[in-house]
């Protein structure tokens, strides 16, 4: 969990007499480092996320100050502090307007404040946070590789509650800890309210016990697999139902047996209607409404499916439904084998 401009501004604006002069800009930009920059030609050294401080030593003219701001913005800086009073006496309205339009935070700090004090303060906090994050990530990795949840509780006693998120690609979300294990990204989050999930994400149940972390990591992974099966942005563990059991089966013979059981249903309309009928607990009305079909059409397809299956009986309905889930899992395994 990296620091944002909001964190630093709120905790040190009085201490360093900082003024935020682009109030319409959000302060959610992440800070990776603090950098003093006077020469516009050194902007190439910005790697992204730095908070830049300048005294305006080499940017005395209005257009040069504007050029410096636009160049560091293009280089990926998170914000700019103008150290005013010696070289910078006036902040052009055009610069403030430009920063506001480009969502680029702009601050001022008086000349009497020692830049070195602010830089040392901020950099120490960033280094400390990076070490804390490394410890959390290492503890989370242990939960994935050894199911040693007691280690996590020892290394991260401040973790109270949260849920796990799994994804087949990297996410930009606030999290307590994260790790890439094999081909899956895992995130431990204290809160996911307001998160905008991308494709193929899985979310576990909430846990308030660190001793259950291995369990919710599995829940998140299974939920991500369901998201891939259904090609959705996110699947929540509380909603995946029989998939949790189906995805736990690694025996390919079992999966192929499910495929053989349903093989008589070659017609896609018959197959999909019969599956939906089972998922709606045998309700013809609900199935018809979901498919925007007349009840008679649904009844015809159900009867056709029953005849094709031959061994159909009410007692076997759960077996057929579970077989559909197993076939989904088989397709997922085959897809994963084909994916480089």
């Amino acid at each position: 969990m990296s620091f944002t401009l909001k964190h630093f501004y709120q905790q040190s604006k009085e201490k360093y007499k900082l003024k935020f002069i682009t109030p319409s800009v959000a302060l959610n930009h992440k800070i990776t480092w603090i950098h003093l920059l006077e020469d516009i030609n050194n902007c190439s050294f910005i790697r992204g996320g730095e908070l830049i401080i300048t005294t305006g030593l080499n940017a005395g003219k209005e257009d040069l100050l504007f050029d410096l701001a636009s160049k560091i913005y293009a280089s990926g800086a998170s914000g700019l502090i103008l150290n005013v009073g010696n070289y910078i006496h006036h902040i052009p309205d055009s610069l403030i307007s430009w920063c506001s339009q480009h969502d680029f935070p702009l601050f001022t700090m008086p000349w009497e404040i020692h830049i070195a004090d602010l830089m040392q303060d901020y950099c120490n906090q960033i280094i400390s946070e990076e070490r804390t994050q490394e410890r959390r990530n290492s503890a989370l990795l242990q939960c994935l590789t050894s199911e040693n949840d007691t280690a996590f509780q020892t290394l991260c006693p401040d973790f109270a509650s949260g849920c796990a998120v799994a994804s087949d690609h990297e996410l930009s979300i606030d999290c307590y800890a994260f790790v890439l294990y094999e081909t899956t990204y895992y995130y431990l989050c204290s809160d996911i309210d307001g998160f905008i999930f991308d494709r193929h994400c899985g979310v576990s149940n909430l846990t308030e016990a660190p001793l259950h972390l291995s369990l919710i990591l599995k829940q998140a992974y299974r939920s991500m697999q369901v998201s891939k099966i259904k090609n959705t942005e996110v699947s929540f563990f509380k909603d995946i139902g029989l998939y949790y059991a189906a995805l736990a089966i690694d025996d390919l013979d079992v999966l192929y047996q499910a495929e053989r059981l349903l093989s008589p249903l070659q017609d896609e309309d018959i197959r999909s209607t019969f599956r939906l009928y089972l998922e709606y607990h045998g309700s013809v009305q609900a199935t018809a409404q979901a498919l925007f079909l007349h009840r008679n059409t649904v009844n015809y397809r159900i009867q056709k499916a029953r005849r094709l299956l031959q061994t159909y009986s009410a007692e076997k309905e759960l077996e057929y439904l579970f077989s559909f889930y197993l076939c989904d899992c088989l397709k997922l395994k085959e897809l994963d084998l084909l994916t480089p």
Side-chain angles (χ1 to χ4, degrees):
M1 184 178 65
S2 55
F3 286 129
T4 63
L5 282 171
K6 183 178 181 180
H7 164 82
F8 286 114
Y9 179 64
Q10 288 185 339
Q11 62 126 230
S12 64
K13 60 182 178 181
E14 301 295 335
K15 181 178 181 181
Y16 300 116
K17 298 182 181 180
L18 294 170
K19 289 186 178 180
F20 182 39
I21 60 175
T22 52
S24 63
V25 175
L27 291 178
N28 55 1
H29 299 67
K30 301 287 181 68
I31 298 182
T32 58
W33 201 243
I34 314 298
H35 189 45
L36 177 63
L37 182 67
E38 303 291 9
D39 189 345
I40 193 171
N41 295 314
N42 290 334
C43 289
S44 59
F45 292 107
I46 298 175
R47 292 177 293 183
E50 291 95 337
L51 175 60
I52 305 299
I53 305 175
T54 186
T55 66
L57 175 64
N58 295 319
K61 295 182 179 180
E62 179 175 325
D63 57 342
L64 293 178
L65 190 61
F66 182 89
D67 289 343
L68 176 66
S70 60
K71 192 69 177 292
I72 64 173
Y73 167 80
S75 300
S78 63
L80 174 63
I81 297 177
L82 302 176
N83 190 211
V84 299
N86 195 11
Y87 302 109
I88 303 173
H89 302 283
H90 171 69
I91 312 298
D93 291 338
S94 59
L95 176 61
I96 298 174
S97 176
W98 183 91
C99 289
S100 298
Q101 291 173 6
H102 289 78
D103 193 34
F104 188 57
L106 185 62
F107 304 86
T108 61
M109 183 177 71
W111 182 260
E112 63 266 20
I113 299 297
H114 292 176
I115 294 176
D117 291 341
L118 180 144
M119 292 182 66
Q120 183 179 31
D121 183 5
Y122 285 15
C123 290
N124 284 341
Q125 290 189 58
I126 291 172
I127 292 172
S128 176
E129 175 62 18
E130 287 178 347
R131 289 173 177 170
T132 298
Q133 192 66 63
E134 288 175 0
R135 185 186 73 245
R136 293 173 177 175
N137 297 347
S138 177
L140 184 61
L141 182 60
Q142 288 188 47
C143 291
L144 284 162
T145 56
S146 66
E147 297 190 0
N148 186 3
D149 293 340
T150 56
F152 188 91
Q153 193 172 23
T154 302
L155 292 171
C156 305
D158 59 324
F159 178 75
S161 65
C163 60
V165 177
S167 176
D168 61 358
H169 60 289
E170 190 171 2
L171 302 174
S172 179
I173 60 176
D174 290 326
C175 61
Y176 180 88
F178 68 94
V179 66
L180 171 62
Y181 179 59
E182 295 180 343
T183 59
T184 303
Y185 292 88
Y186 292 90
Y187 302 84
L188 185 60
C189 304
S190 300
D191 186 10
I192 62 169
D193 286 345
F195 281 7
I196 299 176
F197 291 100
D198 204 342
R199 55 182 173 78
H200 301 166
C201 298
V203 181
S204 74
N205 286 338
L206 179 71
T207 181
E208 296 183 355
L211 290 176
H212 295 159
L213 286 186
S214 294
L215 175 61
I216 66 169
L217 289 168
K218 289 180 181 177
Q219 291 179 355
Y221 180 74
R222 298 297 186 212
S223 302
M224 178 198 71
Q225 289 180 298
V226 174
S227 180
K228 294 172 72 173
I229 288 171
K230 295 185 175 182
N231 196 26
T232 59
E233 292 180 351
V234 60
S235 289
F236 294 88
F237 180 76
K238 62 182 178 63
D239 300 323
I240 70 173
L242 289 173
Y243 275 119
Y244 187 70
L247 287 164
I249 297 175
D250 292 322
D251 191 333
L252 287 176
D253 287 339
V254 176
L255 301 182
Y256 283 123
Q257 173 58 32
E259 189 177 61
R260 287 191 291 270
L261 181 65
L262 297 174
S263 61
L265 304 180
Q266 295 296 318
D267 185 287
E268 187 57 37
D269 289 337
I270 300 295
R271 187 183 181 97
S272 60
T273 302
F274 182 62
R275 173 173 180 161
L276 204 57
Y277 169 77
L278 296 177
E279 290 178 339
Y280 279 113
H281 310 292
S283 171
V284 174
Q285 181 65 31
T287 305
Q289 289 177 350
L291 295 173
F292 300 100
L293 294 174
H294 193 278
R295 284 175 55 93
N296 291 344
T297 303
V298 172
N299 271 318
Y300 167 78
R301 292 181 180 180
I302 298 303
Q303 295 304 319
K304 182 70 176 293
R306 289 172 175 173
R307 289 195 300 271
L308 289 169
L309 291 170
Q310 296 180 349
T311 58
Y312 177 84
S313 66
E315 291 75 17
K316 290 180 70 67
E317 285 187 349
L318 181 59
E319 181 181 350
Y320 289 123
L321 179 58
F322 193 58
S323 294
F324 277 115
Y325 286 91
L326 291 174
C327 287
D328 290 341
C329 298
L330 179 59
K331 290 178 182 177
L332 180 64
K333 288 181 181 295
E334 292 173 344
L335 179 63
D336 287 342
L337 288 174
L338 293 173
T339 302

